[in-house]
Amino acid sequence: MEKLFDLSGRIALVTGSSAGIGCALASGLGRAGAQVVLNGRRPEKVADAARKLRDEGALVFEMAFDVTDRAAVMAAVEEIEVDVGPIDILINNAGMQRRGPLEDYPEEAWHQLMTTNVDSVFYVSQAVARRMIPRGRGKIINICSVQSELGRPSIAPYAATKGAVKMLTKGMAIDWGKHGLQVNGIGPGYFKTELNQALVDDKAFSDWLIARTPSRRWGELEDLIGAAVFLASDAANFVNGQILYVDGGVTASL
């Protein structure tokens, strides 16, 4: 049974993994035996995260590049494949949030959000899949959101990007499943992260969220690791095109 979830000898690229959810997922894959390539735009932040994971005993490589720059993505994936080895697992985690009233939402913010949250998933997945397909195997995990299904005030553009990632995930599974790839998504609910700290500290919002969530709490980053290891492992070899919501039941309840 343990072999089903063992990632020993596999190479995983996790985008946006210098902090938050991405770093937690990279740590989890490392603890499951994978060699992990960390990514972010700022080399110093990537280096800090790498030191943390190495202290945990993980085998970690650093690759700072901008996932919204297609040329940089293609070059980085080529470098990883040559210098580290074939990428077996890709987690597309890089993303951002920009809140604001939809009627006043700036055009530049809309394009930035789309480029960061959607274009990057296409760029990195395509670059990696072109190498996975001839090998006849590979796992791609796209980080979606409960906003792939549900809306909230002031985040319509973000919800649009996460809905797009959900459907892109399904499309990738349809097109690449015949080549031996499994492409799935993880939809986190509300988690205690640096980006959400203001919401965690907002008592009114936090009380509302806890009452709204069947599990009656915020998510902790460790709660996401099992889903990532499962989808990256042989245990999920016949799971394809699915979004696994790790949300304490938010999407199950009105």
Side-chain angles (χ1 to χ4, degrees):
M1 181 63 69
E2 290 181 2
K3 290 182 180 179
L4 279 176
F5 300 94
D6 184 9
L7 302 181
S8 296
R10 302 187 191 184
I11 296 171
L13 168 61
V14 184
T15 70
S17 49
S18 60
I21 287 174
C23 189
L25 296 181
S27 172
L29 296 185
R31 280 181 268 164
Q35 303 174 51
V36 183
V37 181
L38 298 184
N39 158 260
R41 286 181 296 180
R42 296 170 54 188
E44 66 276 10
K45 287 196 68 176
V46 175
D48 288 344
R51 282 191 289 272
K52 173 186 172 186
L53 268 61
R54 289 182 184 119
D55 288 343
E56 296 175 358
L59 182 55
V60 180
F61 302 89
E62 302 167 31
M63 185 60 63
F65 63 93
D66 184 350
V67 293
T68 69
D69 181 336
R70 189 173 186 274
V73 168
M74 299 295 286
V77 169
E78 175 68 21
E79 186 175 344
I80 293 166
E81 290 266 331
V82 171
D83 293 346
V84 181
I87 298 169
D88 302 292
I89 302 159
L90 166 65
I91 298 185
N92 284 303
N93 170 75
M96 66 174 296
Q97 170 68 291
R98 288 283 298 273
R99 294 178 172 86
L102 188 58
E103 64 273 19
D104 297 320
Y105 204 80
E107 180 182 357
E108 63 273 16
W110 168 270
H111 289 301
Q112 184 185 32
L113 205 63
M114 288 292 170
T115 300
T116 303
N117 292 2
V118 183
D119 292 358
S120 68
V121 176
F122 169 69
Y123 294 154
V124 184
S125 296
Q126 187 185 64
V128 171
R130 285 175 175 173
R131 291 160 174 81
M132 289 178 167
I133 287 169
R135 295 193 285 261
R137 68 182 191 278
K139 307 280 188 176
I140 298 176
I141 303 168
N142 297 325
I143 302 304
C144 300
S145 169
V146 290
Q147 269 80 46
S148 296
E149 301 290 341
L150 305 172
R152 282 278 299 156
S154 80
I155 61 166
Y158 178 81
T161 67
K162 290 302 183 178
V165 172
K166 177 185 79 170
M167 294 311 300
L168 184 55
T169 299
K170 292 177 181 291
M172 289 175 180
I174 293 165
D175 283 3
W176 297 339
K178 64 188 175 187
H179 300 296
L181 278 61
Q182 291 84 52
V183 187
N184 295 285
I186 295 175
Y190 283 86
F191 278 75
K192 290 182 178 179
T193 66
E194 295 173 10
L195 293 179
N196 278 338
Q197 193 58 51
L199 295 178
V200 174
D201 295 339
D202 183 334
K203 187 177 186 306
F205 179 88
S206 195
D207 288 348
W208 169 84
L209 176 67
I210 291 169
R212 169 74 174 78
T213 304
S215 293
R216 295 295 186 266
R217 65 177 177 86
W218 281 81
E220 302 286 348
L221 291 177
E222 287 286 322
D223 294 325
L224 290 165
I225 289 174
V229 171
F230 165 62
L231 292 175
S233 73
D234 289 342
N237 280 349
F238 202 54
V239 179
N240 216 357
Q242 302 303 307
I243 312 300
L244 177 53
Y245 289 99
V246 184
D247 63 358
V250 166
T251 51
S253 174
L254 286 173

